[in-house]
Amino acid sequence: MQLSSTSTGLSAAVIAAASFGTSGTLVKPLLAEGWSPTAAVTARALAGGVLLLPIALTMLRGRWHILWQARWRVMVMGVAGVACTQLAYFAAIQTIPVSTALLIEFLAPLLLVGLAWARTRRMPRPTVLLGSILALAGLTLVIGPGALQPVDPVGLAFAFAAAIGCAAYFLVAARGGDGLPPVALAASGLLTGGLVLALVGAGGLLPFTATFGSLPMFGSHAPWWVPLLLLALLSTAIAYAAGITASEALGSRLASFAGLLEVAFAALFAWILLGEALTGIQIAGGILILAGIAAVRAEPAEEPFEDREVLSPLPDHVSGA
């Protein structure tokens, strides 16, 4: 079901950003106890897909042809939006700072603005340009100005690959019209991406280790599956379902700008749950991101058309239309 209400779409985008923002806090106990990033994100994707699967199957009952018609959309979501984005990000942070990799990955909204500009040959209106500048400035403040530094070119290339994968996620999520419910796209995309990540881990391309004992969590101890379950439910199942819903309602451009709130929520949750300091600069950055979203929101709603324009070169049997 597609949403027509922009306010409802923005609400879904905020839920998605807040849910995605919990991932760093929830995955930290696993990584601290010996889980490799590849193993953690693989378990996260597969478990999140499994949690959404019963709902997706109920929604698709009697309409299985919709899933087949949207198979290429599912594949791009799983391979590019989930697996490649995660793999490129983790490959990037092997040689460049995490803050720098995050800053580059979250350039995805600017990539979408540039793509629409190139595709339609229409210069973005001043409100979009202003929103882009405000959002980028806010993102830099939240992540930390130290992210702007000379870095390894290979790591930089991987970080840009993650940004492209992130942009692909928003484009594919916004590509409604094939009748595939957002929850079904989220479930099938996560399971597809999780399987790709598992194959990468099994092939030894990246470290793939996990431990299954008790671990410290928020000042106490918990079984290993507790943070994993929370990660799969909050940071994955709810996040992807809400994010895809928001993208269908808002279009890829506005949804991607709203997605920048993830970094602000991540800093907030780290402050509340892990005791990591929340600085005035980060708060100012969050305000600038909100101002950027408001500026982009003021732009007349043309994004769904632009999404179709960007993806229109795909044949009908490939795009799922």
Side-chain angles (χ1 to χ4, degrees):
M1 179 179 66
Q2 291 190 356
L3 300 176
S4 57
S5 170
T6 301
S7 60
T8 303
L10 286 172
S11 298
V14 171
I15 292 173
S19 299
F20 277 124
T22 64
S23 59
T25 300
L26 293 175
V27 80
K28 194 169 185 177
L30 295 171
L31 299 180
E33 288 301 302
W35 281 66
S36 67
T38 307
V41 76
T42 300
R44 167 192 178 182
L46 290 175
V50 168
L51 288 174
L52 289 175
L53 190 57
I55 303 174
L57 292 176
T58 300
M59 288 183 168
L60 288 173
R61 183 173 298 171
R63 301 189 300 158
W64 305 112
H65 65 284
I66 295 177
L67 185 60
W68 175 250
Q69 289 176 349
R71 61 193 181 280
W72 292 109
R73 188 178 176 215
V74 170
M75 288 295 295
V76 175
M77 173 61 74
V79 175
V82 177
C84 289
T85 302
Q86 297 292 334
L87 288 174
Y89 171 75
F90 287 124
I93 62 176
Q94 300 301 311
T95 57
I96 68 175
V98 170
S99 59
T100 304
L102 281 175
L103 180 61
I104 294 173
E105 180 182 351
F106 280 97
L107 292 178
L110 302 187
L111 293 181
L112 292 174
V113 170
L115 180 61
W117 187 353
R119 184 70 178 90
T120 63
R121 297 182 181 179
R122 296 197 305 266
M123 182 178 178
R125 296 186 181 181
T127 51
V128 175
L129 295 177
L130 175 62
S132 300
I133 294 171
L134 291 174
L136 180 59
L139 180 65
T140 303
L141 292 180
V142 173
I143 292 177
L148 300 174
Q149 56 180 288
V151 294
D152 174 71
V154 175
L156 189 65
F158 277 119
F160 273 111
I164 293 172
C166 186
Y169 158 77
F170 284 109
L171 276 175
V172 174
R175 175 69 168 181
D178 53 16
L180 187 65
V183 171
L185 176 58
S188 53
L190 285 169
L191 291 173
T192 301
L195 290 174
V196 172
L197 289 166
L199 290 174
V200 170
L205 297 179
L206 289 173
F208 198 92
T209 58
T211 59
F212 303 100
S214 178
L215 47 75
M217 183 177 178
F218 307 148
S220 183
H221 280 76
W224 63 272
W225 54 265
V226 172
L228 179 58
L229 179 61
L230 291 174
L231 184 68
L233 177 62
L234 297 176
S235 311
T236 310
I238 293 175
Y240 275 90
I244 293 171
T245 300
S247 294
E248 286 198 10
L250 302 175
S252 62
R253 182 178 62 202
L254 181 54
S256 66
F257 275 92
L260 294 179
L261 288 173
E262 177 186 339
V263 295
F265 278 114
L268 179 64
F269 291 135
W271 173 53
I272 295 173
L273 298 175
L274 301 179
E276 297 181 3
L278 184 64
T279 67
I281 291 179
Q282 288 178 309
I283 295 174
I287 294 173
L288 284 177
I289 291 174
L290 287 173
I293 295 170
V296 174
R297 169 66 185 90
E299 174 73 5
E302 297 177 351
E303 184 63 21
F305 171 79
E306 291 175 359
D307 288 335
R308 289 193 294 270
E309 283 286 298
V310 168
L311 295 176
S312 61
L314 290 176
D316 287 346
H317 71 279
V318 172
S319 66

